[in-house]
Amino acid sequence: MENLENIIGEGVKNWKDNYVLSVPFILNVILSYVLQLLFVIVIVFFVILLVMIPSSILGGVDFFHLDIALQNILLTAVVLSTVSIAFLVVYLLVGSFLVCGATGMSLDILQKGETSVSRMLVYGRRYFRILFPANILVLLILVFGEIIISGVFFGVPYETDLLSRDNSMFPMGLISVMVGLLFTILYALAVDLVFKPLQFAVVFSDEGVLSSLKTSYSFFMENKLDLFLIWLIVLIIGVFAYSINVVTSIFFNLIPLVGPLVSQLLVFVIYLMLAFAVEPVSTLWYAHLYVDRKAGINPEALGKAPEPLYHEQARDGRIKQ
């Protein structure tokens, strides 16, 4: 069993020898920006269509007349919700493909010391059908948990008038809201940490949706400290990059016209830098840790297998060397 320092060092070294591992993460950043742009275009097109509908279609009634204002609001809400869900599904679907591809590429690197973009396509096609519904379940776990927290710390104080300034217990209501905000953040971070091994359970152990979720949870419980340390390193780097984004955005947004454009360009460049270096390196860290700690995987065989490990599979679904 390797110590975490060696795993971190090996991950950086492996990435320096295989910059191609950055490709799926860069594609994922580009995908997110393209989808955001398409989303804005669709919404703008809908608003323009809404405004330009001739009154003759409505029998001479002004489309924004008070009598149908509620219908307009409901229609807009339905369209926004439908488009948002559609774009989220597309992002999760393509993102699952790219994550599976990157995870498989990291496996190739641990096995043979090299990989290629074609391997991303092989692993992506094979495993995205499993990772996609697994990610949906994780998203539901996150959403339902946040709803419960919001109901307890926001809903209850609101319904009991603790958030009314006229109430003598208003400070308690305010404290409840602050604690609720803290818990929503902590819960989201906890869900992210617990299911970090999910993609490796899908690709490395070749397991199904529910089995992958269980394996991710059990692997976290058995390796909490090491997983947390890697996760914390990546989180600190991400927070630092986000801070740079905030500072640059504030500075350049003060410049008329070109300032906001330059700000968005710099933000895009920072995201690309994270996708080029931090995400592939952290994937190798998690991959190495999973292979080193997971029962049924033989670390000594890494680098010797000429084909992906999923070609040889034990009856219990674990990797057989």
Side-chain angles (χ1 to χ4, degrees), residues 3-310:
N3 59 48
L4 192 59
E5 183 179 352
N6 289 340
I7 290 176
I8 291 176
E10 284 295 321
V12 175
K13 180 180 180 299
N14 288 334
W15 171 71
K16 288 181 178 179
D17 295 334
N18 295 275
Y19 290 126
V20 68
L21 182 59
S22 303
V23 170
F25 301 104
I26 293 174
L27 290 177
N28 196 43
V29 172
I30 295 174
L31 168 69
S32 65
Y33 271 82
V34 170
L35 288 179
Q36 290 177 44
L37 178 61
L38 290 176
F39 179 80
V40 171
I41 291 175
V42 170
I43 297 303
V44 169
F45 176 78
F46 170 74
V47 171
I48 293 175
L49 185 64
L50 190 68
V51 173
M52 295 182 63
I53 290 180
S55 60
S56 59
I57 296 178
L58 301 171
V61 179
D62 184 4
F63 195 72
F64 294 98
H65 190 273
L66 182 61
D67 293 338
I68 59 173
L70 181 59
Q71 297 180 20
N72 297 341
I73 295 173
L74 291 176
L75 177 61
T76 303
V78 169
V79 171
L80 283 174
S81 300
T82 303
V83 173
S84 299
I85 292 174
F87 275 89
L88 177 62
V89 169
V90 171
Y91 178 75
L92 289 176
L93 190 62
V94 181
S96 297
F97 181 92
L98 294 174
V99 168
C100 287
T103 305
M105 291 170 72
S106 70
L107 177 60
D108 282 346
I109 293 173
L110 294 180
Q111 285 182 300
K112 300 178 290 186
E114 61 182 3
T115 188
S116 64
V117 175
S118 63
R119 302 300 292 162
M120 176 190 75
L121 301 178
V122 171
Y123 285 104
R125 284 196 300 266
R126 181 175 178 88
Y127 290 110
F128 85 97
R129 298 178 183 87
I130 301 174
L131 186 61
F132 173 67
N135 282 335
I136 294 294
L137 290 177
V138 172
L139 180 61
L140 291 176
I141 291 172
L142 175 63
V143 170
F144 286 138
E146 298 288 16
I147 290 175
I148 293 173
I149 294 173
S150 299
V152 172
F153 291 98
F154 303 122
V156 173
Y158 177 79
E159 290 296 330
T160 56
D161 287 332
L162 287 180
L163 297 179
S164 175
R165 292 184 179 274
D166 298 331
N167 194 324
S168 60
M169 300 294 289
F170 175 73
M172 293 299 297
L174 199 58
I175 292 174
S176 176
V177 170
M178 295 174 63
V179 172
L181 288 173
L182 177 62
F183 276 6
T184 54
I185 296 173
L186 291 178
Y187 179 75
L189 294 177
V191 170
D192 180 58
L193 176 58
V194 170
F195 292 106
K196 272 299 178 186
L198 178 61
Q199 66 199 68
F200 305 99
V202 170
V203 177
F204 286 21
S205 296
D206 199 12
E207 296 182 343
V209 176
L210 295 180
S211 297
S212 298
L213 291 169
K214 293 178 181 177
T215 298
S216 178
Y217 175 77
S218 62
F219 185 82
F220 165 76
M221 295 302 294
E222 295 167 2
N223 303 274
K224 292 187 286 291
L225 180 58
D226 290 333
L227 268 174
F228 174 74
L229 290 176
I230 293 177
W231 176 85
L232 184 61
I233 293 172
V234 178
L235 179 64
I236 291 173
I237 296 174
V239 170
F240 177 73
Y242 178 77
S243 301
I244 295 176
N245 281 345
V246 172
V247 172
T248 55
S249 297
I250 293 175
F251 175 77
F252 282 102
N253 284 331
L254 297 175
I255 303 175
L257 299 178
V258 297
L261 295 176
V262 174
S263 173
Q264 289 300 314
L265 180 60
L266 288 176
V267 170
F268 179 67
V269 170
I270 290 175
Y271 282 138
L272 284 180
M273 291 174 61
L274 290 174
F276 176 72
V278 178
E279 294 191 59
V281 170
S282 63
T283 298
L284 286 168
W285 289 344
Y286 288 120
H288 201 150
L289 182 70
Y290 188 89
V291 169
D292 187 60
R293 303 288 197 273
K294 185 72 173 70
I297 299 180
N298 181 11
E300 296 179 358
L302 292 175
K304 299 178 181 179
E307 295 296 332
L309 290 176
Y310 62 70

